[in-house]
């Protein structure tokens, strides 16, 4: 497949950009950082740029990018726009710039908001240009640009200035364009519209001429646009050439129609207008639809036809059931039959026939084609489909059009859910390489695609799920295509002399098939057309390396594989070129998906998975039983039966597998399909918000009818003062005036009234008191027992008022959305919400969902540390083993815990039995223990109470408690004395605590009783999941994969908390809402807490087309924010120095700092060795080269890589710990280059080593480190750091120091990055060092370093300085070693093997510019890895060092390292690479330890010899 970038040629050099006429014009007229004084506005400049640079170059992406990046729109076009004077060119120029902003995914409407009063005039000019078309002198290409602008407007309804203009075009008055009969019929169907229509007519009569003209234009705009479209469409001839711009205009117009139909606010009235204009029929019969150029046009038309007939009521927006759709179909057919009976006697038989026998396309065509053109027109006019004909008038339409109009409107349609259920889940060769459906990686965002879009609003839940289903399926298809191409290319299929395929290479993930046979085709289930299942056997010869063979033999049940038919046409030895088209080159004919059932044993039986070891099979041949997709099999067999194709299943010759981590797409698709087939009950309070309609604040707790007034805040507050500070907008009333009793925990009662009276009540309260009043009731947690572990764990975090509001919202029913900027304690808030729900509603169950295992584990580790009984915690999925705890919180780990805990508790029961002197085996089971408690323990406790309970009016005696307490012996192992004897109340409280401890033992045993009855581990784990666990944690992927299993075991929960919500795909956010079956038709979900940050990076979508065109990267969290759902914005960060926080806090509403960043010592101290705590360092070209691109999008910058590594080496030499430093970059190519430079420069040097991490900004989201070195790489175009979300992530990873390496002149001109780069550029652009300082810091952050700063001029200067600095450190180290040696020589006789000390000098390599690991001696390896101070004091090491230096090979490192190869890895391989690095580091550590051990042994032997010699001398 070609890897050429569409629409993109060779990237220009910096010199070319600076010399460009557009750059020069920008400098003179509008550039923000130009050194030339700005010239006044000249309209001619706009004319020249448009005609000479844009129109002449066919709106080349590079020219448009250059203009847009220079802030042409913000600084020149919009500020100088006057609706009354602006030319057509001025308007079109702004359209091009706004479209480019959408293509680049940067905020598009910010400039227009600067002068909103001009937007209505601008929009009117665009409407006129759209309708006039050629009359206004614009080309089809320019008309297409206007359509793209309209598409963007209709998809930006959340923007006020856009919505005001757009809504007028799609409101009820547009029905004036309908045929009179059709209008009357529609108004009759919807009586409320009739009332509004009469009001509109009255208002029109009162309006002046100007208003009438404006209304007329708006109401007829879309109808006029349709007529303009028909004119262009009809201009396409059946044969001959057709202009590409003409085809693109038609495609864009259909895209606009789809977008209008796919949103309820735009669809409600427009659908009738579009139906009245018969758009789908006209397009189907057009010449373009019959031409090869119309392939994409037809695919778009399929989407339009789907939405035109979507199963929804346009007036109410409610989804229509299959039954209701059938009723609508029968009503239409009845009307048709009545009209036929009335008008055409020849159709009497048709009129009287059963509807089900005449509603197919074939039958309708058979009956209606007998009618003449005029009769067909009259028929359609009677049904209000066409205007009536006058007497004797001929129809202006062709018979084919009239026939298609009548048939397509009345034919029976298959249900959408039936179509979905018959859709194969695996992609085939027809989809995999269809560029219109699955575009290449290099989609520029400039074209149109036949893909669904995820925008603000969906029509119904079915529509919502279907769009996500299709997009998820196609995104998976894109990844599968890459894997197939890679595997088949590696196999090198050639044609042998006998014409059979010959595989000249080999692939790890693919093997030739030696035999294939279908072994079972099960009968279809009732009501289905396809087989219930299709099974086949595939035989492979695994003549492979043991490791790879084991991978093939380890294929598990439900793993997905692919079967391919390859018929190569190239002879043996022909070289493959990956840039050529894949299919034609390798001869791939068919590809089908399958699912593994298992490997077969020698007797042909499937080897079951389980704990038993798998049988060892002889030979190399292995046979797998697989399931083939029954839908796909049915379609293939039907084609074979018709003779269209051969039997696909007799041709397969290659089987391909995929990595398990990337291969879960089928399970997710099945989950979505299951949801669409079930009665998908979303909680009523969430339904409209998920679809994007109604009041966005309707699900906020303040608007919920079941808001809870009094809540126990448990350990949330540290003191009464903390509580008062947390509610500054309320007055606090404490139920007790005694300060000694005003201690946490607190119950707080909030003023709550019914939703209808809430506003009035709040206003009255404000008038009377000024502030709403909170009632605070301190309460004491009942004593839990005398043991130290009985004491509850307490929260130690002083939450801010905003965090308290987030916790309060999370405790209340409804939807809570918390926006958590970097470092604002999102996880702490989440954990406290979970804890408070657990204690307030002990019977409720909470589900925790996150995007990554790492985030889930961080959350879970904090939950473990709270006052939550660990038997109620459960962690599902494969990331559990990474938890930093010895306890196993997986499903089976919890079962083992329960069983072990049961035995422990039964031992306690036995001890209690002995202490009470009761005979018998009462501690045998949970049941016998329960009887023992009931008959022996409770009776003794009740007797004790009757003995010590004081009479009313008399104070009890503490001595009575000591005397009558029945469990003294049992509590002998508790801290003594149990009873203090000082007061009755205190001792009684302790006694009750002891009884609670005993009672809890038996309560737990009662809960564990089921585990005695359930014998298998599976049953026990299911019981644990559905009954015992109260807090269940899993990733969103696990939820999507296991939904069917969870529903089958009747899994239930009441609350969901989602962390990292802004990083989770829309569908993966939605699925966790429906992991349980509804109860009596209602979903039991009470709370949905979403915590995330939409200002940081969104979900990862690999294919740019799905990311840009379909907006698949939009998370549900982000969509809710766009819709205006209320959020709690955390407003204080505690991660970074306040100075570093200013680089990103401008992106948030009001982000301040927590107190500890001002108080903690580490934030007060400067970064040793540096003048500044953050700095932007300008990096110029090295040897005339800035950024390079060895592979498409694999960007590298050698100068920045060397500079970053040199600064890292300098920091290590200053004493900074390596684990406190991370190196980040914005591109994978640069990441690999930096790793290569580190490996060459310092990786094996124990004085320097490797940093904590070298990775991309995207991969580092959610992590942090003290010091960050950031390389921005690009020197020609800003690239994807222009996405402000990526910038926020990049700037917010550092706690104490951030050093950014970039081309300043490029990034300072980027409009979106201005707030950050303005701050960065306030400091010098050259690196300022203070080399006299060392780590740890001694200087305060506001103090200047001693002496003049060392100013680093460029990368070469830094490299030379670091080398010299290293040599100084090395010499100082050697001098120290020499001194130690001389001191030791005075104390004992020197060893025989020690050489004269004068040779203990370092050999300095000639012409070296940077230090290198190979120069390090054995001594260096043995001296401390993180600090130079941990030097051994034995003089013998100097000898070893000298010898190693004399024999070591000296290398010349004066040259920079060569450019590494372009072979990069994907983000999925990052984890594997890091694991390998860790393994290699561990291996090196072990080698070092072994080496040190050998040296120690050697020294001890020498020392023994010396001692022996001294003894002999003595």
């Amino acid at each position: 497949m070609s890897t050429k970038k569409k629409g993109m040629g060779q990237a220009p050099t910096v010199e070319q950009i600076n010399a460009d006429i557009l750059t020069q014009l920008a400098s003179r007229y509008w550039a923000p950082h130009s050194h030339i004084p700005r010239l006044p506005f000249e309209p001619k400049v706009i004319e020249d740029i448009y005609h000479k640079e844009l129109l002449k170059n066919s709106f080349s992406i590079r020219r448009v990018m250059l203009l847009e990046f220079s802030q042409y729109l913000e600084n020149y076009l919009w500020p100088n726009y006057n609706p009354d004077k602006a030319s057509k060119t001025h308007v079109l120029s702004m359209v091009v710039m706004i479209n480019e902003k959408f293509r680049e995914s940067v905020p598009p409407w910010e400039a227009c908001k600067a002068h909103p009063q001009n937007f209505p005039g601008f929009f009117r000019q665009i409407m006129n240009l759209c309708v006039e078309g050629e009359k206004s002198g614009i080309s089809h290409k320019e008309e297409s640009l206007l359509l793209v602008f309209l598409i963007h407007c209709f998809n930006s309804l959340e923007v006020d200035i856009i919505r005001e203009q757009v809504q007028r075009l799609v409101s009820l008055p547009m029905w004036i364009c309908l045929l009179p009969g059709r209008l009357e019929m529609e108004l009759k169907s919807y009586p409320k519209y009739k009332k509004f229509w009469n009001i509109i007519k009255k208002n029109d009569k009162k309006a002046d001429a100007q208003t009438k003209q404006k209304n007329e234009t708006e109401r007829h705009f879309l109808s006029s646009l349709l007529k303009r479209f028909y004119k262009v469409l009809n201009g396409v001839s059946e044969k001959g050439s057709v202009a590409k711009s003409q085809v693109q205009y038609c495609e864009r117009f259909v895209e606009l129609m789809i977008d209008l139909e796919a949103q309820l606010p735009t669809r409600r009235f427009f659908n009738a207008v579009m139906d009245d204009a018969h758009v789908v029929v006209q397009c189907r019969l057009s010449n373009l639809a019959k031409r090869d150029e119309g392939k994409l046009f037809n695919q778009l038309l399929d989407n339009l036809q789907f939405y035109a007939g979507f199963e929804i009521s346009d007036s109410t927006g409610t989804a229509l059931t299959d039954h209701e759709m059938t009723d609508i179909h029968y009503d239409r057919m009845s009307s048709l039959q009545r009209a036929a009976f009335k008008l055409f006697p020849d159709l009497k038989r048709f009129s009287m026939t059963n509807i089900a026998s005449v509603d197919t396309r074939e039958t309708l065509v058979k009956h209606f084609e007998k009618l003449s053109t005029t009769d067909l027109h009259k028929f359609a006019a009677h049904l209000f489909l066409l205007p009536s004909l006058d007497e004797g008038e001929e129809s202006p339409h062709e018979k084919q059009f009239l026939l298609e109009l009548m048939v397509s409107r009345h034919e029976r349609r298959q249900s959408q859910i039936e179509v979905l259920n018959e859709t194969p889940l695996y992609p085939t060769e027809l989809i995999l390489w269809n560029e219109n459906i699955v575009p290449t990686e290099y989609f520029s965002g400039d074209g149109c695609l036949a893909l669904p879009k995820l925008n603000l609003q969906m029509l119904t839940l079915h529509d919502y799920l279907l769009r996500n289903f299709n997009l998820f399926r196609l995104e998976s298809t894109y990844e599968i295509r890459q894997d197939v191409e890679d595997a088949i290319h590696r196999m090198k299929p050639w044609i042998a002399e006998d014409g059979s395929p010959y595989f000249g290479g080999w692939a790890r993930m693919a093997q030739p098939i030696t035999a294939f046979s279908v072994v079972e085709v099960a009968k279809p289930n009732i009501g289905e057309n396809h087989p219930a299942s299709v099974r086949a056997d595939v035989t492979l010869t695994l003549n492979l390396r043991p490791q790879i063979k084991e991978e093939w033999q380890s294929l598990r049940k439900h793993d997905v594989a692919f079967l391919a038919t390859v018929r190569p046409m190239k002879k043996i030895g022909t070289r493959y070129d990956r840039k050529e088209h894949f299919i034609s080159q390798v001869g791939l004919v068919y590809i089908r998906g399958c699912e593994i059932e298992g490997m077969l044993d020698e007797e042909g039986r499937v080897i079951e998975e389980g704990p038993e070891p798998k049988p060892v099979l002889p030979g190399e041949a292995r046979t797998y039983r697989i399931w083939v997709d029954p839908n796909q099999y049915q379609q293939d067999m039907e084609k074979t039966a018709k003779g269209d194709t051969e039997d696909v299943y007799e041709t397969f010759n290659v089987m391909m597998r995929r990595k398990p981590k990337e291969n879960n797409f089928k399970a997710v698709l099945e989950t979505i399909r299951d949801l669409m087939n079930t009665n998908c009950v979303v909680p009523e309070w969430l339904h409209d918000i998920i679809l994007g309609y109604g009041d966005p604040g309707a699900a906020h707790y303040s608007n919920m009818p079941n808001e809870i007034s009094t809540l126990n805040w448990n350990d949330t507050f540290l003191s009464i003062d903390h509580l008062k500070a947390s509610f500054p907008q309320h007055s606090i009333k404490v139920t007790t005036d005694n300060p000694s009793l005003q201690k946490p925990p607190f119950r707080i009662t909030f003023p709550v009234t019914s939703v209808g009276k809430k506003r009035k009540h709040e206003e009255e309260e404000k008038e009377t008191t000024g502030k709403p009043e909170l009632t605070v009731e301190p309460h004491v947690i009942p004593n839990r027992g005398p043991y130290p572990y009985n004491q509850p764990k307490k929260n130690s975090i002083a939450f801010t008022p905003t965090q308290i509001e987030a916790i309060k919202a999370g405790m209340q029913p409804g939807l809570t959305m918390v926006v958590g900027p970097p470092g604002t304690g999102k996880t702490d808030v989440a954990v406290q919400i979970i804890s408070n729900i657990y204690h307030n509603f002990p019977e409720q169950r909470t589900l925790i969902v996150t995007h990554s295992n790492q985030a889930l584990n961080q959350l879970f580790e904090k939950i473990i540390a709270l006052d939550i009984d660990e038997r109620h915690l459960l962690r599902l999925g494969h990331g559990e083993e990474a938890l930093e705890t010895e306890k196993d919180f997986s499903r089976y780990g919890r079962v083992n815990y329960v069983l072990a805990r049961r035995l422990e508790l039964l031992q306690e029961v036995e001890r209690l039995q002995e202490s009470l002197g009761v005979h018998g085996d009462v501690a045998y089971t949970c049941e016998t223990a329960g009887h023992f408690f009931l008959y022996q323990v409770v009776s003794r406790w009740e007797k004790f109470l009757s003995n010590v309970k004081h009479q009313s009016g008399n104070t009890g005696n503490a001595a009575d408690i000591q005397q009558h307490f029945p469990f003294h012996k049992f509590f002998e192992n508790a801290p003594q004395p149990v009873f203090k004897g000082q007061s009755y109340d205190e001792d009684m409280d302790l006694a009750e605590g002891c009884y609670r401890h005993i009672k809890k033992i038996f309560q737990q045993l009662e809960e564990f009783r089921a585990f005695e009855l359930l014998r298998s581990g599976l049953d026990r784990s299911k019981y644990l999941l559905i009954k015992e666990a109260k807090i269940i944690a899993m990733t969103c992927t696990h939820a999507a994969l296991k939904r069917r299993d969870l529903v089958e075991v009747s899994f239930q929960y009441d609350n969901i908390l989602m962390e990292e919500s802004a990083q989770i795909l829309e569908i993966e956010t939605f699925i966790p809402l429906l992991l349980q079956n509804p109860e009596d038709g209602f979903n039991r979900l009470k709370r949905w807490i979403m915590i995330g940050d939409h200002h940081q990076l969104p979900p990862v979508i690999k294919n740019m087309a799905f990311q840009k065109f379909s907006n698949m990267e939009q998370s549900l969290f982000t969509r809710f924010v766009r819709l205006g759902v209320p959020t709690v914005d955390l407003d204080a960060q505690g991660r970074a120095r306040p100075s570093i926080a200013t680089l990103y806090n401008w992106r948030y509403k009001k982000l301040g700092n927590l107190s500890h960043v001002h108080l903690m010592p580490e934030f007060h101290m400067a970064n040793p060795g540096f003048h500044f705590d953050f700095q932007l360092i300008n990096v110029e070209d090295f040897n005339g080269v800035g950024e390079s691109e060895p592979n498409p999008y694999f960007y590298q910058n050698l100068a920045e890589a060397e500079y970053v590594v040199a600064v890292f080496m300098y920091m290590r030499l200053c004493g900074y710990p390596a684990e406190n430093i991370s190196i980040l970059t914005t591109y994978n190519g640069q990441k690999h280059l930096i790793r290569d430079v580190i490996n060459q420069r310092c990786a094996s040097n124990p004085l320097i080593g490797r940093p904590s991490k070298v990775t991309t900004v995207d991969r580092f989201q959610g992590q942090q480190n003290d010091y960050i070195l950031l390389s921005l790489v690009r020197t020609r175009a800003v690239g994807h750091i222009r996405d402000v979300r990526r910038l926020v992530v990049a700037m917010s990873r550092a706690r104490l120091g951030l050093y950014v390496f970039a081309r300043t002149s490029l990034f300072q001109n980027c409009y979106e990055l201005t707030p950050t780069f303005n701050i960065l550029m306030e400091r010098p652009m050259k690196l300022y060092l203070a080399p006299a300082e060392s780590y740890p810091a001694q200087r305060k952050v506001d103090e200047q370093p001693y002496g003049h700063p060392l100013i680093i001029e460029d990368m070469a200067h830094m490299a030379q300085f670091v080398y010299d600095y290293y040599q100084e450190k090395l010499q100082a180290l050697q001098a120290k070693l020499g001194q130690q040696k001389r001191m030791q020589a005075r104390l004992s006789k020197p060893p025989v093997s020690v050489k004269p000390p004068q040779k203990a000098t370092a050999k300095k390599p000639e012409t070296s510019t940077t230090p290198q690991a190979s120069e390090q001696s054995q001594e260096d390896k043995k001296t401390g890895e993180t600090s130079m101070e941990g030097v051994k004091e034995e003089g013998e090491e100097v000898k070893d060092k000298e010898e190693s230096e004399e024999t070591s090979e000296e290398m010349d490192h004066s040259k920079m390292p060569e450019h590494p190869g372009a072979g990069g890895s994907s983000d999925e391989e990052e984890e594997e690479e890091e694991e390998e690095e860790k393994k290699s580091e561990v291996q090196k550590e072990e080698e070092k330890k072994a080496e040190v051990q050998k040296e120690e042994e050697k020294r001890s032997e020498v020392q023994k010899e010396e001692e022996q010699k001294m003894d002999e001398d003595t």
Side-chain angles (χ1 to χ4, degrees), residues 84-103:
D84 301 322
K85 298 178 182 177
S87 65
K88 172 190 70 180
T89 309
H90 195 148
V91 172
L92 287 169
S93 297
M94 290 197 291
V95 165
V96 171
M97 292 301 105
I98 291 171
N99 287 349
E100 176 60 18
K101 284 188 178 291
F102 272 99
R103 195 188 73 81

Side-chain angles (χ1 to χ4, degrees), residues 1117-1135:
F1117 186 91
T1118 305
R1119 184 159 72 88
F1120 280 176
V1121 172
R1122 285 181 66 195
L1123 284 166
V1125 174
T1127 59
V1128 179
D1129 294 57
L1130 302 183
D1131 56 4
Q1133 69 86 29
R1135 172 185 295 172

Side-chain angles (χ1 to χ4, degrees), residues 578-624:
R578 295 201 177 214
K579 292 182 180 178
E580 290 183 22
H581 192 262
F582 171 74
I583 289 185
S584 59
Q585 195 173 188
V586 303
L588 188 137
V589 185
Y590 306 115
I591 189 156
R592 298 288 183 270
C594 65
E595 193 174 348
I596 304 290
E597 183 180 356
M599 195 163 65
L600 302 185
D601 60 17
E602 291 181 86
E603 297 176 4
R605 292 177 302 195
V606 174
I607 300 170
E608 295 294 335
E609 292 181 8
E612 299 81 18
K614 290 187 178 180
V616 179
L617 301 178
E620 307 295 341
R622 298 288 182 270
T623 302
Y624 296 90

Side-chain angles (χ1 to χ4, degrees), residues 86-325:
S87 65
K88 172 190 70 180
T89 309
H90 195 148
V91 172
L92 287 169
S93 297
M94 290 197 291
V95 165
V96 171
M97 292 301 105
I98 291 171
N99 287 349
E100 176 60 18
K101 284 188 178 291
F102 272 99
R103 195 188 73 81
E104 289 275 342
S105 301
V106 295
W109 303 113
E110 298 305 311
C112 300
K113 290 176 184 176
H115 302 284
Q117 70 279 4
N118 289 338
F119 194 81
F122 172 56
F123 196 77
R124 276 196 299 276
Q125 283 185 285
I126 286 169
M127 287 167 57
N128 293 334
L129 288 172
C130 286
V131 173
E132 290 169 7
E134 292 166 346
K135 292 179 187 175
S136 58
I138 61 174
S139 63
H140 289 317
K141 176 71 177 173
E142 290 166 300
E143 286 186 273
S144 297
L145 293 172
L146 291 168
L147 286 181
V148 173
F149 178 82
L150 284 179
I151 289 167
H152 293 322
C153 286
F154 281 108
N155 285 326
S156 302
L157 295 178
E158 78 276 20
V159 182
D160 294 340
I161 58 171
I162 308 296
R163 187 173 59 254
E164 288 167 10
Q165 303 306 315
V166 162
Q167 276 185 334
R168 294 194 183 104
L169 308 183
V170 288
S171 56
L172 179 61
M174 75 179 305
W175 274 6
I176 201 167
C177 306
L178 297 176
L179 292 172
R182 176 70 182 269
L183 174 61
E184 196 60 39
M185 185 176 73
E186 295 289 347
L187 293 175
K188 190 177 178 182
S189 302
Y190 307 113
K192 64 176 181 178
Y193 291 161
K194 178 79 174 173
K195 183 180 174 183
F196 292 135
W197 188 259
N198 292 333
I199 294 169
I200 290 165
K201 286 201 290 188
K202 284 180 185 175
N203 291 338
D204 284 349
K205 288 177 183 177
K206 298 175 187 175
D208 56 35
Q210 187 179 354
T211 306
K212 282 183 180 178
Q213 177 63 36
K214 182 187 170 190
N215 291 343
E216 190 74 12
T217 304
E218 289 171 349
R219 293 169 188 177
H220 285 85
F221 171 68
L222 287 172
S223 180
S224 304
L225 197 60
L226 280 167
K227 290 172 185 171
R228 173 64 194 150
F229 164 67
Y230 286 151
K231 188 174 180 181
V232 177
L233 183 66
N234 295 331
V236 178
S237 58
E238 193 170 347
K239 293 180 181 178
S241 62
V242 59
K244 189 179 178 182
S245 59
Q246 205 170 349
V247 176
Q248 286 175 340
Y249 176 85
C250 295
E251 291 168 353
R252 285 295 189 184
F253 185 86
V254 177
E255 184 192 344
L256 173 62
M257 296 294 103
I258 293 169
D259 285 356
L260 289 171
E261 287 285 301
Q263 293 187 102
L264 192 59
T266 53
R267 172 196 178 88
R268 181 168 275 127
F269 302 109
F270 174 72
N271 192 39
V273 174
M274 192 184 84
D275 185 55
D276 194 54
H278 315 302
V279 174
V280 175
V281 177
Q282 294 268 27
C283 293
R284 284 277 181 228
L285 299 175
S286 67
N287 291 328
L288 179 57
K290 300 167 189 170
R291 295 177 63 111
D292 292 340
E293 294 91 340
K295 190 175 180 183
L296 174 59
F297 179 74
N298 280 321
Q299 290 169 343
L300 288 163
L301 206 52
D302 290 340
N303 290 349
L304 179 61
Q305 186 172 3
F306 172 80
Y307 276 111
F310 196 82
E311 299 166 352
I312 186 174
S313 166
D314 292 338
S315 62
T316 62
T318 54
L320 299 177
T321 62
D322 283 348
H323 183 72
E324 289 168 327
M325 289 300 294

Side-chain angles (χ1 to χ4, degrees), residues 1 93 178 289 324 355 709 722 741 825 898 963 1128 1156 1310 1324 1401:
M1 190 174 61
S93 297
L178 297 176
E324 289 168 327
I355 287 177
S709 60
H722 179 206
L741 298 177
V898 166
Q963 179 185 347
V1128 179
H1156 71 258
C1310 182
T1401 55

Side-chain angles (χ1 to χ4, degrees), residues 950-969:
H950 55 267
Q951 300 298 321
S952 57
N954 297 327
T955 306
N957 191 347
D960 290 345
I961 295 174
Q962 179 77 18
Q963 179 185 347
H964 295 290
F965 186 67
F967 308 116
H968 278 298
K969 192 174 181 184

Side-chain angles (χ1 to χ4, degrees), residues 585-801:
Q585 195 173 188
V586 303
L588 188 137
V589 185
Y590 306 115
I591 189 156
R592 298 288 183 270
C594 65
E595 193 174 348
I596 304 290
E597 183 180 356
M599 195 163 65
L600 302 185
D601 60 17
E602 291 181 86
E603 297 176 4
R605 292 177 302 195
V606 174
I607 300 170
E608 295 294 335
E609 292 181 8
E612 299 81 18
K614 290 187 178 180
V616 179
L617 301 178
E620 307 295 341
R622 298 288 182 270
T623 302
Y624 296 90
R625 178 70 46 80
I626 61 169
W627 287 297
V628 176
D629 190 321
N631 285 323
Q632 188 65 57
Y633 184 82
Q634 176 71 16
Q635 291 178 12
D636 290 334
M637 289 300 104
E638 284 177 359
K639 288 180 183 176
T640 304
K642 290 177 184 176
D644 295 343
T645 62
E646 62 189 318
D647 187 346
V648 176
Y649 297 86
E650 293 180 0
T651 65
F652 296 133
N653 54 11
V654 174
M655 182 175 180
M656 190 201 89
R657 63 188 174 93
R658 299 180 71 220
K659 292 178 183 175
K661 275 187 181 179
E662 303 166 3
N663 216 15
N664 55 24
F665 73 97
K666 181 175 181 285
V668 177
L669 291 176
E670 282 181 334
T671 295
I672 301 172
R673 191 161 70 178
D674 286 348
L675 284 173
M676 295 173 78
N677 277 285
T678 55
N679 186 10
C680 187
V681 181
V682 171
E684 192 177 335
W685 49 274
L686 268 179
H687 184 276
D688 287 354
I689 291 174
I690 286 175
L691 295 181
Y693 304 120
D695 176 12
H700 189 258
Y701 74 87
S702 60
N703 297 320
M704 294 289 285
N706 55 343
E707 184 182 351
I708 301 165
S709 60
T710 303
L711 287 165
N712 177 7
W713 286 71
N714 200 31
D715 57 352
T716 307
F717 302 105
L718 305 184
S719 64
I720 189 67
D721 293 330
H722 179 206
L723 185 149
K724 289 176 180 176
S726 299
F727 296 103
Q729 304 301 320
H730 295 76
S731 61
I732 308 296
K733 177 188 173 186
V734 186
T735 55
T736 175
D737 295 328
N738 186 346
S740 63
L741 298 177
Q742 294 180 355
K743 293 178 181 178
F746 301 109
R747 285 193 191 92
I748 303 179
T749 303
F750 293 87
V752 173
T753 56
S754 63
V755 176
K757 300 175 182 176
K758 191 180 293 283
R759 187 174 297 166
K760 186 179 176 183
H761 176 82
E762 286 173 358
E763 286 173 2
E764 288 174 2
E765 197 169 65
K766 277 186 182 179
E767 286 173 12
T768 55
T769 64
K771 288 183 178 181
E773 187 178 78
L774 302 183
T775 304
V776 177
E777 178 193 351
H779 67 98
V780 178
I781 297 174
N783 192 310
R784 297 180 182 180
Y787 300 99
Y789 62 80
N790 289 135
Q791 300 308 308
K793 301 169 189 172
K794 292 183 179 178
N795 159 57
S796 59
I797 297 167
F799 291 108
T800 66

